[in-house]
């Protein structure tokens, strides 16, 4: 059996899709469907069972999984809202839950690959390398992720089983509809055009021109490839960046969306005060450690990925459809 927490979420459901493509459907999806829209992410996928996150945590604690044969745990379940200010809630979801699952996996020699975040690099002023001197949390979400990374560092290579944290950079692609304001800019710009016939971006800040802020945008299909690379190499443990190593401007994304529709305008709007001092104007993963580990799966060209994603949004609304 394979466990995917957050399996009805964005990256989690894409991992389930990838597992299906590998011929695996003995998958336990763990999630919280309070946001009922997420059911659409898994109705097109094949899985063995579904369990609510709270029920799963209680079952773990009660030892109900102690004798199950579990190959790997992909732990994508977390509160991913960077604007969530309830620190207690964030630490319960992103630290305590992950810590308990890590010890369960370590005690039973189960591979575990978990979602960390590039937000652990703060403003990026000190670089984007997997080293403490580069790390800084600008909000409680980033703190919860960084605090667990530091906790996990005590155990890398010492438990007899794999433990890998992947610091996701700016992920975009199918199955993110439920994320609302936290969905990728590609998704938001696509829907802006559908509603208004134009695309909106923030004006320049921190010395950047209008729409010229840059991010390391990574297609979700490539995120799945990186996860599976580590699954296929159980000898590897540690924190690794999961980005392309190349930064692109928001203007690049906008032009890709406008190209898809063949018309429309690009409008720049004032930068919101609520994001000042909490916004990454530049991110670019240092992929040295990832490549030195042996990853050679490459990354999808950003223009090709945006075109493919927009085409799927046209066809299915951005969801995968079940294929028997």
């Amino acid at each position: 059996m394979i466990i995917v927490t957050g399996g009805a979420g964005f990256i989690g459901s894409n991992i389930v899709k990838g597992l299906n493509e590998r011929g695996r459907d003995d998958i336990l999806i763990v999630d919280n469907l309070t946001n009922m829209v997420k059911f659409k992410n898994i109705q097109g996928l094949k899985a063995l069972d579904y369990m609510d996150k709270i029920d799963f945590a209680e079952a773990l604690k009660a030892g109900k999984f102690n004798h199950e044969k579990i190959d790997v745990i992909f732990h994508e379940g977390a509160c991913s809202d960077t604007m969530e200010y309830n620190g207690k809630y964030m630490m319960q979801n992103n630290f305590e839950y992950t810590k308990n699952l890590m010890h369960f996996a370590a005690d039973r020699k189960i591979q575990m690959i978990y979602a960390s975040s590039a937000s652990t690099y703060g403003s990026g002023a000190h670089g984007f390398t997997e080293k403490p001197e580069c790390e800084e949390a600008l909000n409680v979400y980033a703190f919860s992720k960084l605090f667990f990374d530091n906790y996990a560092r005590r155990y890398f290579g010492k438990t007899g089983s794999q433990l890998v944290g992947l610091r996701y950079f700016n992920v975009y692609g199918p199955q993110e509809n439920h994320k609302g304001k936290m969905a990728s800019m590609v998704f938001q710009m696509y829907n802006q055009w559908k509603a208004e016939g134009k695309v909106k971006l923030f004006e320049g800040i921190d010395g950047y021109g209008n729409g010229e802020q840059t991010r390391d945008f990574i297609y979700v299909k490539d995120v799945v490839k990186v996860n599976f690379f580590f699954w296929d190499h159980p000898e590897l443990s540690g924190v690794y960046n999961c980005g392309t190593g190349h930064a692109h401007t928001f203007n690049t994304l906008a032009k890709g969306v406008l190209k898809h529709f063949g018309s429309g305008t690009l409008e720049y709007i004032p930068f919101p005060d609520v994001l000042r001092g909490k916004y990454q104007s530049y991110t670019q993963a240092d992929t040295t450690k990832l490549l030195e580990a042996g990853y050679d799966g490459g990354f999808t060209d950003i223009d090709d990925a945006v075109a493919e994603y927009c085409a799927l949004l046209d066809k299915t609304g951005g969801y995968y459809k079940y294929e028997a």
Side-chain angles (χ1 to χ4, degrees), residues 79-98:
C79 175
S80 59
D81 186 348
T82 59
M83 300 304 291
E84 172 61 62
Y85 295 116
N86 186 328
K88 180 177 180 180
Y89 172 80
M90 191 68 79
M91 290 300 285
Q92 286 175 336
N93 276 269
N94 294 3
F95 178 68
E96 291 291 342
Y97 179 35
T98 310

Side-chain angles (χ1 to χ4, degrees), residues 220-273:
V220 69
K221 291 184 178 181
D222 296 330
V223 169
V224 174
K225 284 195 298 184
V226 173
N227 271 273
F228 286 0
F229 165 77
F230 284 100
W231 178 29
D232 292 336
H233 293 82
E235 73 280 5
L236 297 172
S237 287
V239 172
Y240 294 83
N241 284 336
C242 188
T244 68
H246 298 282
H248 294 277
T249 67
F250 286 99
N251 284 328
T252 298
L253 292 184
K255 290 173 182 176
V257 173
L258 292 174
K259 180 180 178 180
H260 170 75
F261 288 112
S263 65
T265 59
L266 178 54
E267 177 183 326
Y268 298 101
I269 61 177
F271 191 89
D273 289 337

Side-chain angles (χ1 to χ4, degrees), residues 5-137:
T5 70
F10 173 32
I11 296 174
S13 65
N14 275 273
I15 288 175
V16 174
K17 169 72 169 175
L19 290 170
N20 288 172
E21 291 170 349
R22 282 192 169 202
R24 298 292 296 265
D25 60 7
D26 55 332
I27 304 162
L28 171 62
I29 293 175
V30 178
D31 213 302
N32 174 4
L33 288 184
T34 300
N35 179 355
M36 66 152 188
V37 177
K38 290 197 293 184
F39 84 84
K40 295 181 179 180
N41 286 348
I42 53 177
Q43 69 175 352
L45 305 176
K46 292 178 279 188
L48 175 69
D49 204 355
Y50 171 88
M51 183 174 281
D52 181 80
K53 170 193 164 182
I54 293 176
D55 294 338
F56 174 69
E58 291 176 352
L60 272 184
K61 187 175 181 181
K64 293 183 179 179
F65 287 94
N66 288 358
H67 302 293
E68 293 280 355
K69 186 181 184 304
I70 301 168
D71 295 340
V72 59
I73 299 170
F74 294 101
H75 180 45
E76 308 301 314
C79 175
S80 59
D81 186 348
T82 59
M83 300 304 291
E84 172 61 62
Y85 295 116
N86 186 328
K88 180 177 180 180
Y89 172 80
M90 191 68 79
M91 290 300 285
Q92 286 175 336
N93 276 269
N94 294 3
F95 178 68
E96 291 291 342
Y97 179 35
T98 310
K99 181 177 69 173
N100 293 339
L101 193 55
M102 184 206 82
H103 285 294
F104 167 81
D107 290 346
R108 290 154 187 82
K109 303 297 183 285
I110 299 167
Q111 291 175 255
M112 177 169 158
I113 302 164
Y114 72 88
S116 183
S117 169
S119 67
T120 54
Y121 296 117
S123 67
H126 304 293
F128 299 92
T129 303
E130 305 94 328
K131 297 178 180 178
E133 54 264 34
C134 298
E135 298 163 356
E136 174 190 23

